[in-house]
Amino acid sequence: MNIAYISKSTSFIAGPVPNGDFELTPSGGFSNEGIVDGPAGIPNWKANGTVELVESGQKQGGMILIVPQGRHAVRLGNDAEISQQVKVEKGSVYSVTFSAARTCAQLESLNVSVPPASQTIDLQTLYNVQGWDPYAWAFAAEEDNAMLVFRNPGMEDDPTCGPIIDDVAIKKLFTPDMPKDNAVINGDFEEGPWMFPNISLGVLLPTNLDEETSSLPGWIVESNRAVRYIDSYHYAVPQGKRAIELLSGKEGIISQMVETSPNKPYTLTFSLGHANDKCKQPLAVMAFAGDQAQNVHYAPNSNSTFQAAGVNFTAKAERTRIAFYSVYYNTRTDDMSSLCGPVVDDVRVWFSGSWRNGFGGSGRLAVGLAFWLFVWVLV
């Protein structure tokens, strides 16, 4: 695994933070009680409050505690926190990836911050039957030294309850240049948060309405539920190495404001696919472009896992909103619980001009889609 963090004088580019998996042995060894002894009880981290190093297979009552990866993870009690100072570059945007699981409470949450930036992430929804998920959260560095903090904001009757954290990494984000003849930034989703190569669950992107500090540059998640950032090593991706899997129906929406010229005709095109993760069909997306909306069902050729789709629209302003969400609430066929959905990739918005009629009208929609699918295959 390539780790770009070299020393305390070198800023992060991408990789796990020091002891981000909590496997380094504390100076006094791993305690049988698990409770961290003092603020420096976890190597490379500072602890405050009831912080516990939990071990894989450890039981609490009749429940086995979840450790996402390896042998150890950290559990935060009521109002407890862990923090680590990381070297960053002032003015740059970074994304923090971490794995989290809840323990006792149904309504557990986790606050992640690099002050003054902060977000509380709801852990109530279980997105897969393994009981934990990787998440990503982004921040803009205001100084060259950042204090990364994870805190349990809850106050449970049992002070040892609280979220479990593991596999913490950070990545410096770069906003891709706007491609020629395409108004969409990062429409191929190749720029995004750090992904651990040995974790096959993708990375959840929770609600984020700030396009300037998004783990998915150019895009925002404007919904109550998360969407899943996936890679081609563990999922079927239409093109490149990254894509977005839409989850939870209308509760999982991604969108972007693209530059347009008022009263000009444009075409939104995208690839719609199946992640090859045993997601139960039917799959469909609702695609929005300005004041136009199109319900597109996944129905590819027998030898393909994706298809091309498009929406025509006339821009009404200098910026036009494009957005996608899943029409259905889909789960996997093997466990009927893990959330999944349609895959969106290769999103483009371009001035359609004389080609506008290729998609215009319901009678010519199929012909237009077939034409652009043919062009896409040739490219």
Side-chain angles (χ1 to χ4, degrees):
M1 181 184 300
N2 293 325
I3 302 176
Y5 184 83
I6 300 174
S7 70
K8 291 185 178 180
S9 62
T10 304
S11 62
F12 264 108
I13 296 177
V17 303
N19 197 28
D21 58 4
F22 305 103
E23 299 297 339
L24 289 182
T25 304
S27 58
F30 287 104
S31 169
N32 291 332
E33 298 294 328
I35 301 298
V36 173
D37 184 18
I42 305 175
N44 299 109
W45 294 89
K46 181 179 179 181
N48 182 31
T50 304
V51 177
E52 181 182 3
L53 275 168
V54 297
E55 188 171 355
S56 178
Q58 181 177 329
K59 292 184 178 181
Q60 178 173 303
M63 177 180 63
I64 297 178
L65 298 180
I66 295 172
V67 172
Q69 292 283 297
R71 293 189 58 192
H72 298 94
V74 162
R75 177 165 60 172
L76 302 178
N78 286 339
D79 204 31
E81 69 178 37
I82 57 170
S83 59
Q84 181 177 143
Q85 183 170 291
V86 293
K87 188 74 174 177
V88 292
E89 182 181 331
K90 182 178 179 180
S92 295
V93 175
Y94 292 81
S95 179
V96 178
T97 298
F98 57 93
S99 296
R102 70 180 195 217
T103 52
C104 313
Q106 187 77 7
L107 300 178
E108 283 180 8
S109 59
L110 176 66
N111 180 270
V112 55
S113 66
V114 173
S118 173
Q119 182 172 349
T120 297
I121 296 173
D122 179 16
L123 301 180
Q124 179 179 1
T125 300
L126 293 178
Y127 288 84
N128 73 85
V129 294
Q130 295 190 38
W132 62 276
D133 281 290
Y135 290 83
W137 171 77
F139 68 94
E142 296 192 358
E143 303 292 341
D144 290 332
N145 291 293
M147 185 62 70
L148 174 61
V149 183
F150 293 94
R151 184 175 68 87
N152 174 14
M155 294 298 292
E156 301 298 329
D157 293 336
D158 184 347
T160 63
C161 285
I164 291 176
I165 308 167
D166 202 0
D167 295 323
V168 182
I170 191 170
K171 178 185 176 183
K172 182 179 179 180
L173 296 175
F174 299 89
T175 301
D177 294 332
M178 187 179 298
K180 185 179 180 180
D181 300 326
N182 182 10
V184 180
I185 296 174
N186 198 25
D188 56 7
F189 303 108
E190 294 300 303
E191 181 65 12
W194 172 265
M195 303 185 78
F196 285 93
N198 61 332
I199 294 180
S200 61
L201 300 177
V203 176
L204 293 178
L205 306 180
T207 305
N208 175 44
L209 301 179
D210 185 358
E211 64 181 15
E212 298 298 325
T213 54
S214 170
S215 289
L216 192 65
W219 297 87
I220 64 172
V221 180
E222 55 171 82
S223 51
N224 295 328
R225 300 284 182 89
V227 299
R228 181 177 288 130
Y229 190 58
I230 61 174
D231 61 19
S232 60
Y233 303 107
H234 302 99
Y235 297 85
V237 171
Q239 65 89 33
K241 294 183 178 180
R242 303 286 189 266
I244 287 292
E245 185 177 26
L246 300 173
L247 313 173
S248 304
K250 294 181 181 180
E251 295 181 276
I253 306 172
I254 61 168
S255 69
Q256 182 174 147
M257 297 295 292
V258 299
E259 295 181 2
T260 52
S261 297
N263 302 315
K264 297 292 185 181
Y266 289 85
T267 299
L268 163 68
T269 61
F270 60 96
S271 294
L272 172 63
H274 190 294
N276 198 26
D277 56 357
K278 300 181 180 179
C279 195
K280 185 177 181 180
Q281 298 192 46
L283 299 174
V285 298
M286 186 66 75
F288 297 87
D291 59 359
Q292 299 297 306
Q294 181 72 46
N295 184 326
V296 183
H297 275 70
Y298 172 71
N301 294 329
S302 58
N303 60 347
S304 177
T305 59
F306 62 92
Q307 68 193 61
V311 180
N312 282 324
F313 68 98
T314 299
K316 300 296 192 295
E318 293 181 350
R319 299 189 78 198
T320 299
R321 175 180 176 266
I322 61 172
F324 301 91
Y325 69 73
S326 174
V327 173
Y328 304 109
Y329 287 76
N330 299 91
T331 57
R332 290 172 52 128
T333 58
D334 55 349
D335 59 41
M336 303 304 292
S337 297
S338 297
L339 299 182
C340 58
V343 173
V344 172
D345 200 2
D346 196 25
V347 182
R348 303 170 184 264
V349 169
W350 42 276
F351 175 65
S352 53
S354 61
W355 292 111
R356 184 169 181 261
N357 289 333
F359 283 98
S362 59
R364 294 188 296 273
L365 178 59
V367 175
L369 290 176
F371 171 79
W372 288 112
L373 176 59
F374 175 72
V375 172
W376 191 92
V377 171
L378 289 180
V379 173

